[in-house]
Amino acid sequence: MLTWFAIGHLANDWPIASLWLIVPAAGIAMDLSAAEIGLLFTIFSIGGALAYLPAGVLTDHVSNRGRLLIATFWWVAIGYVLAAKAPGYWSFALLLAFAGMGNAAWHPIATGVLTQENSGQRAQALGVHAIGGSLAEVLAPLSVGFLLVYVDWRDVLMISVLPTILMGVGFSWVARRIPRVETLEFNKQDFKDLLHVWRRGSGSRIAAMICSYNVALIALLSMIPFYLADERELAPVAVGLTFSALLVVGAFAQPWVGKLSDRIGRRVVLVVGNCAAALSAAVLILQPSFWIMIAAMTAAVAALDAIRATVLATAVDHTDHRQGTTLGLAFVLLEGVGALGAVLAGVAAGYSWPLMFAFAAGFSLIAAVLAYVTVLDHA
């Protein structure tokens, strides 16, 4: 089951991961600024944030979660086909947000199922699931880099939904194997109690840590391809190869790092990962030679990507019930509040690239400090 969830994650995230190169290519074609490109990523992520919590609540209140997962594939496919035909900037941005809602819905539903079925190894299960998304982030930009040499960015976006469509058809038999659960009655007071858990004590610090962590990660992921294409003047193929290489280490480290945090605790993993990212991003401020810069980018992105499953497991540990709703809230923080990293990084890059890298380093350091001073529960 874990393997199929990872494959489903890959197919659902494939067109989203393609955007890391498609949006900068569209931005160059439309003559957009770095801030306008960052705003596209932010609008896309805000659209996703609107779907995370409702999807998480549905996970706890719908018995047949397999049908919900199948629906997400078709939502993503239809949304991106429409976005590829958008006539202008704002229509493109809004359709990206619409498509992002479908992709967003997959995550709390799938991770909610996995944390319920693997309560003793949550971070490891989330890490295996995350491999699918990370592989999409490695392979999709690689394919996009080659496709952009031959076809327009709109055609590339339409081609990128093919894995999602195929999985929308093929996942139907997997969905029937997902255990049905006794649905929880929706209780407004219970939901208020859950929010109260996040507002007090460690909850508020964990929420702030999640936001700071993802601000740093999204800042790097949204601006690095544009930096390579605009500042370093790399061809699309070279940008795709370089960006994919940046993501490989973190992609395969997630299950191992997640398993490690299940054994030794969340805090040390979160502190070390965020500190490593902060130091690596600080090296980028100095604008070193090209290969040193690539190595520093790889270290920064890998450190943040590798601890993502641990970040999510920390959220579930803190409440330890209503996993779907809890993960919905966690994803809202990650992709909603954290997505401001894209537009803010774009504004910083408009002044200078060292300022943008300093922005990412600063938020990684904030996340590390918050993880260090917070008493983290360990399931």
Side-chain angles (χ1 to χ4, degrees), residues 266-314:
R266 315 293 188 210
R267 176 188 283 163
V268 63
V269 171
L270 294 173
V271 170
V272 171
N274 281 295
C275 282
L279 290 173
S280 300
V283 171
L284 298 171
I285 299 171
L286 304 176
Q287 297 285 283
S289 63
F290 179 77
W291 290 110
I292 293 178
M293 177 161 280
I294 293 299
M297 285 178 176
T298 302
V301 172
L304 292 173
D305 208 16
I307 63 173
R308 189 172 182 85
T310 304
V311 171
L312 292 172
T314 299

Side-chain angles (χ1 to χ4, degrees), residues 32 251 281 299:
L32 303 179

Side-chain angles (χ1 to χ4, degrees), residues 34-35 223 344-353 355-356:
M223 286 295 115
L344 294 176
V347 172
Y351 288 98
S352 72
W353 284 108
L355 180 61
M356 194 286 292

Side-chain angles (χ1 to χ4, degrees), residues 129-339:
H129 172 261
I131 283 182
S134 297
L135 282 176
E137 290 190 340
V138 172
L139 298 176
L142 187 62
S143 67
V144 169
F146 282 99
L147 287 170
L148 285 172
V149 176
Y150 303 102
V151 295
D152 180 75
W153 66 267
R154 295 179 186 275
D155 295 324
V156 175
L157 184 53
M158 293 188 71
I159 294 170
S160 296
V161 303
L162 290 177
T164 314
I165 293 172
L166 291 173
M167 186 52 65
V169 175
F171 200 79
S172 57
W173 76 272
V174 181
R176 290 194 292 268
R177 298 172 57 194
I178 297 174
R180 297 197 180 196
V181 295
E182 181 180 351
T183 58
L184 299 173
E185 181 181 350
F186 183 78
N187 187 317
K188 189 175 180 180
Q189 184 58 46
D190 194 41
F191 186 71
K192 288 181 178 179
D193 291 342
L194 183 63
L195 291 177
H196 181 65
V197 169
W198 282 100
R199 286 199 300 265
R200 63 180 174 81
S202 297
S204 60
R205 290 191 291 274
I206 292 172
M209 183 270 295
I210 291 173
C211 293
S212 299
Y213 155 83
N214 213 47
V215 164
L217 179 59
I218 294 298
L220 291 172
L221 292 179
S222 61
M223 286 295 115
I224 284 176
F226 186 60
Y227 171 81
L228 295 174
D230 186 62
E231 185 73 10
R232 294 288 179 165
E233 298 183 343
L234 297 186
V237 172
V239 174
L241 285 169
T242 304
F243 190 68
S244 295
L246 294 180
L247 295 165
V248 168
V249 177
F252 289 100
Q254 283 200 52
W256 179 79
V257 173
K259 183 177 181 179
L260 182 66
S261 77
D262 285 333
R263 296 177 60 185
I264 68 174
R266 315 293 188 210
R267 176 188 283 163
V268 63
V269 171
L270 294 173
V271 170
V272 171
N274 281 295
C275 282
L279 290 173
S280 300
V283 171
L284 298 171
I285 299 171
L286 304 176
Q287 297 285 283
S289 63
F290 179 77
W291 290 110
I292 293 178
M293 177 161 280
I294 293 299
M297 285 178 176
T298 302
V301 172
L304 292 173
D305 208 16
I307 63 173
R308 189 172 182 85
T310 304
V311 171
L312 292 172
T314 299
V316 178
D317 291 346
H318 182 64
T319 57
D320 205 30
H321 74 294
R322 292 189 181 265
Q323 287 92 340
T325 305
T326 297
L327 285 162
L329 284 169
F331 279 114
V332 167
L333 295 173
L334 278 171
E335 307 299 343
V337 180

